Amino acid sequence: MDAGERQVQVRFTTRLGSDLRVEATAFSLPVHLNRYGLSQIINTLLALDGPRPFDFLFDGELIRTTLEQLYLSKNLSAESILVLEYILAVGPPELQSSQPEKDWVSAVNGVNPSLILSGSYDSFARAWFPDGTCGSVLKGHSDAITSIAVAGSSNDTDLDVITSSKDKTLRLWKVPLKPSSSTLSSVRIFKGHAASVQCVAANPSNTQVCSGSWDSTIKLWKIDSEDEDNEDEQALKKRKLDGAKQSIAQVTAFTTHKEHTQCVAALEWPEDRYIFSASWDHSFRQWDVETSINTLTMTCSKALHCLSVGGEGSLLVATGGADPVLRIWDTRMPGTVVPVLQLTSHTSWISSCKWHRQSPKHLLTSSYDGTVKMWDIRSKVPLQTVEAHKDKVLCTDWWREDTVVSGGADCEFKLFKYTPIEWL
């Protein structure tokens, strides 16, 4: 340390446990220190057995500059005592599993902690267990799988799964939660779209699903309903599977929304009353399920491919699409054309975005640039960038609290595990 270097007064605070707290007194520190230097200071003060990485917040923002640059950017007086909150940093993830599939992996779902679901351009969906083995193959679609939703579990042995496909249909499956090796047939087929079904989402009550399509419509379906009067002869036919005869009930939509003018690319159903949709028509919308009214429309300059609802109180909407920019919108600001936050680090189109299910600060993005990025909205640069695939990354999701799943055009399905951290 240069004895002649200018120093500033810094006091540290934290919400971590008592074993990770330092004295609440001011320390004189050199102005050249950045987050890494500050982390070394905390480790020294705590006298930890092994080094722990820390991040630092000032006024609710993650520090990504030196102390001197921070003082200048915030117009702080040289005599000011800088109060910094430190939190556990997110370390780089480790590849846990990489499973080859026969075609592009176009959909993943990590909602259930017991298994992970993937969908492929080979028309099959698959259920994977934590050890990397494939338990069930969902066989029935005649074209690529585009999206997968989980609609809860009616018992302790099966999971209700909904898939959408380029074959213009959705299907309901009963997927075993315990390890098994089987080929499954769907128990319901949802027909009514005039073009490829691009996305599907289930309501929190697990009683209904909504779907978006290249026909520009959103359709709502009741999971347990069946419309035998409208089933075609082929759907009513008895089928044989492993020597047992089974019939597939056909479901028709009870509501159709036609306000979008291009492909409906993404859907999310965060509350029973509201649905959010994103479209290639450059808009995302909110819908009131009870009244079928489009209650919010927000637009940007690019076609939208993905959408995720999260943040404090689930009031923020993340969108990505036909440019490298992740946009964060505040639903309390209707009519604005300017997002509250724009995050740029990808170098190609964004294919998916997902808020963390426990943390209102963290989210994932995947891109055609081959990477998956983890973001903390308190910083404009990503926390971590994973060179996930050798080709376009088509989908990503969280699994459990600390694992990321992704699928790509390299025909690989991958799991990356982060060091367990406290999501603050």
Side-chain angles (χ1 to χ4, degrees):
M1 183 183 300
D2 185 353
E5 182 178 2
R6 188 164 64 87
Q7 297 191 343
V8 292
Q9 297 292 303
V10 178
R11 185 168 68 243
F12 296 105
T13 182
T14 188
R15 289 178 288 168
L16 297 173
S18 58
D19 59 326
L20 294 176
R21 292 179 183 174
V22 301
E23 289 184 60
T25 58
F27 299 89
S28 294
L29 300 178
V31 294
H32 77 269
L33 288 180
N34 56 17
R35 55 183 290 219
Y36 301 107
L38 292 169
S39 186
Q40 290 177 327
I41 296 292
I42 296 297
N43 274 271
T44 300
L45 293 172
L46 292 173
L48 298 174
D49 293 336
R52 299 283 297 274
F54 294 96
D55 253 320
F56 297 83
L57 293 158
F58 175 74
D59 198 23
E61 296 179 13
L62 285 170
I63 295 176
R64 291 296 182 263
T65 65
T66 64
L67 292 178
E68 183 172 35
Q69 291 169 327
L70 180 63
Y71 265 83
L72 292 173
S73 65
K74 300 297 182 181
N75 294 317
L76 299 175
S77 165
E79 289 76 29
S80 300
I81 297 178
L82 196 64
V83 180
L84 302 181
E85 179 184 358
Y86 60 95
I87 61 176
L88 290 173
V90 178
E94 294 183 0
L95 179 65
Q96 294 293 297
S97 176
S98 180
Q99 302 296 334
E101 296 202 22
K102 295 180 180 179
D103 212 329
W104 290 9
V105 181
S106 47
V108 291
N109 186 295
V111 168
N112 190 276
S114 299
L115 52 78
I116 310 160
L117 300 158
S118 70
S120 171
Y121 266 56
D122 65 4
S123 78
F124 300 146
R126 294 172 175 84
W128 302 86
F129 290 100
D131 62 0
T133 59
C134 180
S136 302
V137 177
L138 285 56
K139 183 179 180 181
H141 285 293
S142 60
D143 208 335
I145 304 295
T146 55
S147 182
I148 302 174
V150 170
S153 180
S154 55
N155 52 53
D156 295 330
T157 60
D158 295 322
L159 189 68
D160 289 342
V161 173
I162 308 283
T163 54
S164 63
S165 170
K166 289 181 178 290
D167 66 10
K168 306 178 186 179
T169 71
L170 300 95
R171 289 178 180 260
L172 171 66
W173 316 78
K174 299 286 186 180
V175 178
L177 284 169
K178 295 182 179 180
S180 63
S181 180
S182 59
T183 299
L184 304 178
S185 290
S186 55
V187 296
R188 278 182 174 77
I189 183 169
F190 303 73
K191 288 187 174 182
H193 280 295
S196 168
V197 185
Q198 192 66 12
C199 50
V200 61
N203 68 349
S205 298
N206 298 315
T207 57
Q208 299 174 14
V209 295
C210 59
S211 57
S213 168
W214 275 93
D215 64 15
S216 305
T217 69
I218 299 168
K219 291 184 180 291
L220 275 66
W221 321 72
K222 293 180 180 177
I223 294 175
D224 291 332
S225 68
E226 56 187 83
D227 189 357
E228 295 187 0
D229 292 337
N230 292 329
E231 287 182 24
D232 57 30
E233 185 177 345
Q234 185 65 26
L236 285 170
K237 253 176 106 175
K238 296 285 187 179
R239 300 186 181 188
K240 289 187 177 182
L241 179 63
D242 297 329
K245 290 184 178 181
Q246 296 189 357
S247 62
I248 301 178
Q250 181 171 311
V251 182
T252 55
F254 67 88
T255 298
T256 299
H257 299 307
K258 299 180 180 180
E259 282 82 352
H260 281 298
T261 59
Q262 293 191 46
C263 170
V264 180
L267 289 165
E268 191 152 321
W269 204 331
E271 299 179 32
D272 280 331
R273 185 176 177 181
Y274 294 110
I275 292 171
F276 286 86
S277 61
S279 170
W280 282 46
D281 65 11
H282 300 195
S283 76
F284 77 86
R285 299 171 185 247
Q286 182 186 56
W287 308 84
D288 188 300
V289 175
E290 294 180 3
T291 63
S292 297
I293 294 174
N294 176 190
T295 56
L296 173 70
T297 299
M298 302 181 83
T299 61
C300 68
S301 60
K302 299 294 181 180
L304 297 179
H305 300 163
C306 57
L307 168 145
S308 184
V309 181
E312 295 287 352
S314 295
L315 295 170
L316 300 180
V317 176
T319 63
D323 67 3
V325 182
L326 176 67
R327 294 174 172 86
I328 311 293
W329 310 79
D330 192 327
T331 57
R332 293 165 296 185
M333 302 170 61
T336 180
V337 295
V338 180
V340 294
L341 187 61
Q342 296 188 83
L343 302 174
T344 57
S345 178
H346 284 296
T347 58
S348 188
W349 291 8
I350 294 176
S351 55
S352 66
C353 55
K354 292 284 183 178
W355 287 96
H356 193 278
R357 295 185 182 93
Q358 279 73 47
S359 171
K361 307 293 186 185
H362 298 86
L363 68 162
L364 295 174
T365 54
S366 65
S367 169
Y368 289 177
D369 63 15
T371 68
V372 172
K373 294 180 184 285
M374 181 197 287
W375 303 84
D376 185 315
I377 60 172
R378 294 169 293 188
S379 173
K380 291 189 177 182
V381 297
L383 292 181
Q384 298 290 339
T385 297
V386 184
E387 300 291 336
H389 293 268
K390 297 177 182 178
D391 205 330
K392 293 180 288 188
V393 187
L394 302 176
C395 50
T396 191
D397 196 5
W398 300 94
W399 182 57
R400 297 179 175 172
E401 290 190 5
D402 56 5
T403 302
V404 171
V405 297
S406 63
D410 58 359
C411 308
E412 294 279 345
F413 168 74
K414 295 186 176 184
L415 275 72
F416 298 89
K417 187 177 177 63
Y418 286 88
T419 303
I421 66 171
E422 295 183 35
W423 296 100
L424 294 176

